[in-house]
Amino acid sequence: MKRKDFLYLTGMGIGAGMLSRVPVFGSSMPIGSHVETVDVALKKRMADVALNAARSKGATYTDVRIGRYLNQYVVTREDKVENIANTQSYGMGIRVIANGCWGFAATDKLDNDSIAKAAAMAVAIAKENARIQAEPVQLAPQKGYGEVSWKTPIEKNAFDVPMKDKTDLLLSANAAAMKNGANYVNSILFLVNEQKYFASTDGSYIDQDVHRIWPTFTITKVDAKTGKFETRNALSAPRGMGYEYLMPRESDKIKGGPAILYRDRYDMLEDAGNGALQVTQKMAAKSVEPGKYDLILDPSHLWLTIHESVGHPTELDRVLGYEANYAGTSFLTLDKWKTGKFNFGSKNVNIVADKLQPGSLGAVGYDDEGVKCGQWDLIKDGILVNYQVIRDQAHIIGLNQSQGCCYADGWNDVQFQRMANVSLQPGKTPLAVADIIKNTEKGIYIIGDSSFSIDQQRYNFQFSGQMYYEVKNGKIAGMLNDVAYQANTQEFWNSCVAVADKSDYRLGGSFFDGKGQPGQVSAVSHGSSTARFNGVNVINTARKI
């Protein structure tokens, strides 16, 4: 059965058969309430109830996910706190194979009777689905790991930090921006803690504690005479870290260029102050002359291009046409991969998928199918060599095991293929950003991400950024405005002529990457060093016909 058929049928099953109220976005929690984890032994007992109940009803495979999802949002504007919200969602999702077909059910009532009823419902749904099934599910073998655990290696749990410290930080960032000329500024802190327990009939009982953080802001300045305005967003990156990300260190700052950039620690106050000055510069910047330029793309910008033009097109479900929501399928069809010679990019382009990368949003020890995570090549020396797959897809490309790319937004969502951290590898020989600029005659240096557009096969695209600097004869010649670049994926990555070395490598990422129908979000990082792409078409976004 194809995934879209499974989701269609299972979606009906969920709608008709949800055992109790399911808090899709979570229920509210008191601000400042202590966050406690659920006892692992209790979760194992609940999981065993589900596994045994499903087996007794005829399931040949079952996995159970017990999830407690905690979210915190702190929102400020200028000198005011606009909103603080704590939410939690807690329950169990049960996925089974019966009569060779998937079934799924979920419940937020975790007594034995409710769990057993949910398991029985999942099996009943699978058997109903099997009536129209074209071929049985082929699940890649997966050994059981017994009782194991994994935790994001944080230094300071952000949920334990007093709320006053968080609001003080955001309001201070706003004040720094207003002091330097901003008319408006809003700042937000997003925090996530996923307490996830996975058990399966393969013999795994996996307890994971996943943390993510994203501080960000938008600064706006308005020209009172013309009514025109400009904005500048934070140069932070959402990270798989604790509150230590907001404890700045000088060693994590990259100075010497037109903007201060950040590695593994972020100085929000400094960035807000500088951002207000730079948004003033943007208002005075000259409009770009359209044409061909050599683009020098900072990691704070390039992550999004990697995400859209490499990450999504190498998802096998898009390649196969099983998934087409949120910008379509993929031009990287199986026939191209089978040749072993498909020229995706230049020899400077080496792109890996990595589910274990420290500090990344997608880092977990095990995916939502109980597969131990790792790293693998997607593009090697410019050639397409692999995709991203999960257990019921592995056989399609001749793999005998999954790559661990399965994830669900919540315990009440069906897990499916989601993107691993997908990153451009740094250059192998010493190369600084200053050297790239020095060797560029006519170029544009782009920092920060902004809008994008990409077609239904992830082939033709357009991207813009936060700040653009003209490069003339090896030097930065001032700020530009109204810049966007257009290319097709294959031509763009083949125009990559230089990638800075690992000393410049940084992570960007998306906290809310959407996919699927019904839609789910996941968080994923993309790393790179600054890279140069020659002869890319640049348009002026302010011009009108």
Side-chain angles (χ1 to χ4, degrees), residues 399-447:
L399 297 179
N400 57 14
Q401 62 182 17
S402 165
Q403 293 163 329
C405 298
C406 204
Y407 176 79
D409 190 4
W411 54 268
N412 52 327
D413 296 306
V414 180
Q415 62 267 57
F416 72 119
Q417 187 191 325
R418 298 310 308 261
M419 196 187 304
N421 302 302
V422 171
S423 301
L424 174 67
Q425 296 303 283
K428 297 175 183 175
T429 57
L431 181 65
V433 177
D435 295 326
I436 296 177
I437 293 173
K438 186 174 67 178
N439 295 326
T440 302
E441 291 186 7
K442 179 191 175 186
I444 300 175
Y445 180 26
I446 302 179
I447 296 173

Side-chain angles (χ1 to χ4, degrees), residues 150-186:
W150 186 91
K151 180 177 181 178
T152 304
I154 60 173
E155 297 178 20
K156 191 169 187 176
N157 189 336
F159 285 86
D160 291 340
V161 174
M163 184 56 66
K164 185 177 185 307
D165 291 2
K166 299 169 188 173
T167 55
D168 283 351
L169 173 64
L170 297 185
L171 292 174
S172 296
N174 295 354
M178 298 296 285
K179 180 182 177 182
N180 283 356
N183 294 112
Y184 307 101
V185 56
N186 71 295

Side-chain angles (χ1 to χ4, degrees), residues 310-470:
V310 187
H312 281 306
T314 53
E315 294 170 323
L316 188 60
D317 56 355
R318 291 191 188 274
V319 171
L320 298 171
Y322 295 177
E323 169 65 36
N325 295 288
Y326 299 101
T329 55
S330 172
F331 75 99
L332 293 176
T333 48
L334 289 179
D335 59 315
K336 296 183 175 71
W337 166 72
K338 286 177 180 177
T339 67
K341 300 177 180 177
F342 182 71
N343 175 218
F344 181 89
S346 73
K347 290 188 177 299
N348 298 300
V349 178
N350 289 283
I351 297 177
V352 301
D354 188 350
K355 289 286 292 179
L356 293 171
Q357 190 168 9
S360 67
L361 294 166
V364 290
Y366 304 83
D367 78 348
D368 282 354
E369 288 188 310
V371 177
K372 197 168 188 176
C373 293
Q375 181 192 93
W376 65 99
D377 292 318
L378 294 172
I379 310 293
K380 189 170 181 59
D381 297 328
I383 302 298
L384 171 68
V385 296
N386 213 330
Y387 297 107
Q388 306 170 62
V389 305
I390 59 176
R391 289 187 69 180
D392 62 3
Q393 300 169 342
H395 68 280
I396 297 173
I397 60 170
L399 297 179
N400 57 14
Q401 62 182 17
S402 165
Q403 293 163 329
C405 298
C406 204
Y407 176 79
D409 190 4
W411 54 268
N412 52 327
D413 296 306
V414 180
Q415 62 267 57
F416 72 119
Q417 187 191 325
R418 298 310 308 261
M419 196 187 304
N421 302 302
V422 171
S423 301
L424 174 67
Q425 296 303 283
K428 297 175 183 175
T429 57
L431 181 65
V433 177
D435 295 326
I436 296 177
I437 293 173
K438 186 174 67 178
N439 295 326
T440 302
E441 291 186 7
K442 179 191 175 186
I444 300 175
Y445 180 26
I446 302 179
I447 296 173
D449 62 87
S450 186
S451 65
F452 75 95
S453 175
I454 196 162
D455 72 17
Q456 292 295 301
Q457 278 70 51
R458 303 267 168 186
Y459 195 59
N460 300 288
F461 61 66
Q462 175 176 312
F463 288 89
S464 61
Q466 287 294 312
M467 294 180 288
Y468 315 97
Y469 295 91
E470 184 176 21

